[in-house]
Amino acid sequence: MFNKINTLGGYFHEYQKSVSEPEKFWAQQADSFYWRQRWTHVTQWDFEKPTINWFCNAKLNITENIFEKNLYTHGEQIAIDWEPNDPNEASRQYTYQELLSVVNQTANALKREGIKKGDTVILYMPMVPELVIAVLACARIGAIHSVVFAGFSAQALADRVRDAEAKIVLTANFGYRAEKTIALKQIVDEALEKSDLVQRVVVYQRTQKEVPLKKDRDILWDEFLADTSTDCPAEILDSEDPLFILYTSGSTGQPKGIVHSTGGYMVYSAYTFANVFQYQDGDVYFCTADVGWITGHSYLVYGPLLNGAHIVMYEGVPSWPDSGRMWDIVGKYQVTHFYTAPTLIRALLTMGNEYLEGKALSSLKVIGTVGEPINEDAWHWVHDHIGQNRCPVVDTWWQTETGGVMIAPIAGVTPTKPSFATLPLPGIQPVIIDNDGQEQRGNSVEGNLCIRYPWPGMARSIWGDHERFKQTYFSQFEHYYFSGDGVRRDEDGYYRILGRVDDVINVSGHRLGTAEIENAINEHPLVNESAVVGYPHPIKGQGIYAFVVCPQTSTGGEAGIKQSIEQGVNKLIGPIARPDLIQLVPNLPKTRSGKIMRRILRQIAAGDATSLGDISTLLDEQIVDIIINEALVDV
Ligand code: PRX
């Protein structure tokens, strides 16, 4: 395999090589994969256009690198241990050989439906093995998968189906979440009401309950797979052919379909997995992320499977049947690596240590976190009580757009510091830039987090809107990729992520655009306008605070209006975007030119209105006092 780092000196050595000779460095890493045809150039790029190419003109299939390349050594080893929502239901297991057979069957079934290289496939599924199988089946035939998190509403799904121009949707009749079932097929039906493009819906039967099937459109999973061969030659793709689209929120407008490539993404997700987590043969890796998010793509599916890892996939929620469930799973499968979000750690921490009693945690070797800053309390709790002072905690900073981890400790190698993502991985050149575009050199500086040089796993475009890709990531600070995050580099050169500097909020590790939520609120017939900001929330990291201008209330009064606003957001986006606090206000603080001064609302929501700064540009300064007096948090 590629260069594995196992000492701090080794890290600095690799890092230096990756900066002084990036092409040589990445060619070396890429050499350990199975390419049908080698590249002509390692990289060709231009951040001005922007164009980004890695392993130019190389040919490959990522699934051959998961399966064929490793079958001889790993064929009989476990690829997936699947743990169902209900601990009393039987778990399921796949070896690499078994997984390949069913991936091939599913790939052949997709082909039979006329799906071919370059077609898009929407997956709206619960966390069952069939979701991973469908992802890999798409990759096998060169179809571009777009997984939509199964907590999104019908409207959000419809928007993504339309944007991705998908002809086929794979779903399930229901999904389980703790004691509830979610009617996924019904949501798909609703989403497709206005779509003529989708000709086929494949329905996995997660429960016994039957659902109505639309004639000539819907087909059950078993029927879909019937009489398919377990052999399916891999489609040979160009390194730059898209592997998948994943929608994520930005600061404006509709969610963006982030496009990832085949060759570069493969090298990057596999390289970072091996190094950050220091996974070794015989280890068992459990990532709690849903495949509907980038963490699920890169570090539940691709990165681990490319390394021949043994993964644990969990269907349910972390606190059901009780708050000890995660630790039961760790004990049951003898998990060595546990990768999760700080919000989950905070939620379990508040439940108390009695849920740890009698749990077998001694198999754990490495704990990883991702998605949001981890506060020191959560860091110490997970380090002391879960990792039992034995396991390194790797706080990994990255994004949907980066494809893989960018700044993080190498487990057991990089000395950690609570709340710090520590140092950049080899190949990653972070730059801190102030708001005037000046690079902040040296240590003890803070500013906007940008990246100077491309890396293989970075996004290549926004589906159908390359101009937006350019505007969002490459225009703010010329010559650099701009992450949208603020960062501090401390006196030791360690990086601490400070959070988003744009109108994106991070709720329980889920990224949401405030504009998206405002659009959903504004759909309410009685709402004139609204402004949404994040505020500090003890469990979720950030909560959603909506200031809503709604001059008349209906019969249900204020409570009724708030409830119907919540329902509207649920319907248009999904429960993850439901505001935690809704304050009805007579007006929003606006400048004379009509711009909402969000800074003021953010400060009020954070409970700190002591120094609001210059508010003289406001059209109506009094509105600030009115909002403060009626604020839903202590100001
Ligand atoms: O603000 C950063 C935060 O999550 C954002 C990316 O969200 P998303 O694309 O959904 O990907 C999440 C999983 C990779 C970032 O811009 N973020 C991610 N990891 C960290 C983080 N903030 C602080 N510390 C982290 N380790």
Side-chain angles (χ1 to χ4, degrees):
M1 259 310 202
F2 28 65
N3 302 3
K4 244 181 134 175
I5 297 164
N6 36 37
T7 61
L8 192 58
Y11 158 75
F12 286 118
H13 178 72
E14 287 296 299
Y15 188 78
Q16 206 41 51
K17 264 195 345 200
S18 78
V19 173
S20 55
E21 293 182 284
E23 297 197 18
K24 189 168 163 202
F25 172 83
W26 284 116
Q28 244 176 30
Q29 314 313 322
D31 262 338
S32 59
F33 291 86
Y34 175 50
W35 303 87
R36 289 294 191 123
Q37 184 182 302
R38 209 180 146 77
W39 50 90
T40 52
H41 305 82
V42 177
T43 180
Q44 286 183 322
W45 63 282
D46 177 352
F47 277 178
E48 313 302 306
K49 284 196 174 96
T51 53
I52 300 135
N53 297 292
W54 280 90
F55 313 114
C56 309
N57 303 309
K59 306 280 182 240
L60 76 153
N61 186 290
I62 196 167
T63 68
E64 287 193 327
N65 281 275
I66 292 174
F67 296 115
E68 279 84 347
K69 176 169 166 276
N70 298 326
L71 277 188
Y72 187 65
T73 51
H74 280 80
E76 301 310 317
Q77 293 187 17
I78 298 162
I80 304 179
D81 257 321
W82 175 77
E83 170 74 5
N85 175 62
D86 180 347
N88 297 316
E89 191 185 335
S91 47
R92 284 161 62 191
Q93 196 175 65
Y94 290 84
T95 64
Y96 274 86
Q97 184 64 59
E98 288 163 349
L99 189 61
L100 172 60
S101 297
V102 57
V103 164
N104 279 342
Q105 281 189 288
T106 312
N108 282 323
L110 285 168
K111 281 211 262 188
R112 188 162 61 190
E113 292 298 337
I115 303 299
K116 52 185 191 324
K117 176 177 159 182
D119 288 344
T120 49
V121 177
I122 294 274
L123 309 177
Y124 185 72
M125 297 186 63
M127 281 286 283
V128 290
E130 283 68 17
L131 171 53
V132 175
I133 291 164
V135 160
L136 298 175
C138 289
R140 188 79 177 169
I141 62 170
I144 304 164
H145 55 78
S146 186
V147 183
V148 177
F149 173 60
F152 277 118
S153 69
Q155 184 60 50
L157 173 61
D159 293 343
R160 286 154 177 77
V161 170
R162 185 178 1 89
D163 190 81
E165 302 158 295
K167 286 183 281 199
I168 185 165
V169 175
L170 274 51
T171 188
N173 59 348
F174 291 92
Y176 284 118
R177 270 187 80 73
E179 284 149 317
K180 284 193 283 189
T181 52
I182 316 288
L184 297 178
K185 170 63 165 53
Q186 194 185 327
I187 297 172
V188 170
D189 286 342
E190 229 179 281
L192 298 187
E193 256 164 30
K194 293 187 207 99
S195 159
D196 307 326
L197 198 60
V198 173
Q199 293 147 9
R200 188 55 99 201
V201 174
V202 186
V203 185
Y204 174 71
Q205 280 177 290
R206 177 65 186 100
T207 74
Q208 300 295 321
K209 207 163 147 195
E210 289 194 2
V211 287
L213 296 180
K214 187 169 169 189
K215 195 166 171 293
D216 298 330
R217 189 195 69 180
D218 300 350
I219 174 174
L220 293 177
W221 203 273
D222 291 345
E223 217 179 305
F224 173 65
L225 288 191
D227 307 320
T228 47
S229 162
T230 54
D231 284 327
C232 177
E235 184 76 29
I236 304 308
L237 304 181
D238 189 89
S239 177
E240 283 302 325
D241 280 337
L243 176 64
F244 65 87
I245 307 170
L246 187 60
Y247 286 85
T248 189
S249 297
S251 47
T252 54
Q254 283 287 319
K256 322 172 262 212
I258 299 297
V259 180
H260 278 287
S261 72
T262 301
Y265 177 83
M266 170 181 78
V267 171
Y268 198 69
S269 60
Y271 173 80
T272 50
F273 174 78
N275 277 303
V276 171
F277 295 104
Q278 296 283 303
Y279 181 93
Q280 286 167 357
D281 260 355
D283 286 344
V284 180
Y285 169 88
F286 175 26
C287 168
T288 64
D290 192 288
V291 179
W293 309 111
I294 191 69
T295 307
H297 281 62
S298 301
Y299 300 111
L300 180 63
V301 182
Y302 287 112
L305 297 182
L306 284 161
N307 279 279
H310 173 168
I311 66 169
V312 174
M313 175 181 190
Y314 173 47
E315 180 182 34
V317 297
S319 51
W320 192 79
D322 66 37
S323 297
R325 185 68 189 276
M326 291 289 105
W327 322 127
D328 290 336
I329 296 175
V330 168
K332 177 170 174 184
Y333 297 99
Q334 292 290 288
V335 169
T336 55
H337 290 65
F338 180 61
Y339 192 32
T340 195
T343 186
L344 179 144
I345 296 170
R346 285 190 298 267
L348 297 182
L349 174 165
T350 54
M351 300 311 291
N353 288 353
E354 69 255 33
Y355 289 102
L356 302 180
E357 277 164 28
K359 307 292 179 192
L361 298 173
S362 59
S363 57
L364 283 174
K365 296 206 270 193
V366 175
I367 294 169
T369 69
V370 58
E372 39 166 341
I374 175 162
N375 50 308
E376 296 198 15
D377 282 354
W379 195 98
H380 284 296
W381 184 77
V382 78
H383 179 265
D384 299 354
H385 295 281
I386 306 304
Q388 302 176 331
N389 293 308
R390 187 185 67 242
C391 306
V393 175
V394 293
D395 174 356
T396 63
W397 174 79
W398 59 294
Q399 313 178 287
T400 305
E401 294 86 343
T402 68
V405 175
M406 302 285 281
I407 303 181
I410 308 281
V413 168
T414 315
T416 55
K417 226 189 244 193
S419 305
F420 281 77
T422 74
L423 298 171
L425 296 186
I428 304 308
Q429 301 185 33
V431 185
I432 299 180
I433 303 191
D434 72 8
N435 288 342
D436 300 324
Q438 292 305 314
E439 181 176 345
Q440 304 294 293
R441 293 173 198 271
N443 291 342
S444 304
V445 291
E446 141 176 355
N448 299 292
L449 173 52
C450 297
I451 313 287
R452 191 194 308 275
Y453 193 88
W455 61 100
M458 73 187 297
R460 301 299 197 257
S461 192
I462 290 175
W463 186 254
D465 199 348
H466 197 66
E467 183 55 29
R468 190 175 174 201
F469 184 62
K470 176 177 175 165
Q471 288 306 327
T472 312
Y473 306 107
F474 300 94
S475 299
Q476 207 123 336
F477 302 105
E478 247 179 76
H479 312 301
Y480 300 110
Y481 166 83
F482 173 45
S483 66
D485 279 315
V487 71
R488 174 171 177 72
R489 188 162 52 218
D490 79 352
E491 60 284 3
D492 300 325
Y494 267 34
Y495 290 83
R496 179 178 196 151
I497 307 299
L498 303 173
R500 302 288 304 194
V501 294
D502 55 9
D503 289 323
V504 168
I505 53 181
N506 205 320
V507 182
S508 298
H510 297 147
R511 178 169 155 181
L512 295 162
T514 52
E516 244 177 293
I517 307 173
E518 287 163 9
N519 288 343
I521 294 174
N522 297 348
E523 287 285 306
H524 192 289
L526 294 178
V527 168
N528 278 10
E529 60 178 339
S530 61
V532 165
V533 298
Y535 72 101
H537 187 285
I539 307 283
K540 298 178 174 186
Q542 280 189 300
I544 303 173
Y545 196 139
F547 298 88
V548 180
V549 182
C550 179
Q552 310 155 18
T553 45
S554 57
T555 42
E558 215 178 292
I561 273 272
K562 288 184 181 180
Q563 201 185 8
S564 56
I565 288 174
E566 286 176 6
Q567 283 164 353
V569 174
N570 259 354
K571 187 158 178 284
L572 292 172
I573 308 177
I576 52 171
R578 189 170 49 215
D580 298 276
L581 300 172
I582 300 175
Q583 180 178 352
L584 301 185
V585 294
N587 230 323
L588 295 170
K590 284 193 185 162
T591 61
R592 285 167 216 282
S593 58
K595 195 165 181 287
I596 299 170
M597 277 185 96
R598 286 165 186 283
R599 175 177 66 75
I600 293 175
L601 296 174
R602 265 188 229 121
Q603 272 183 268
I604 295 173
D608 174 21
T610 43
S611 56
L612 286 179
D614 181 15
I615 56 168
S616 60
T617 55
L618 284 182
L619 189 60
D620 172 11
E621 286 183 34
Q622 279 171 4
I623 194 66
V624 175
D625 289 329
I626 298 174
I627 295 176
I628 291 176
N629 285 338
E630 292 174 10
L632 302 174
V633 292
D634 289 333
V635 184

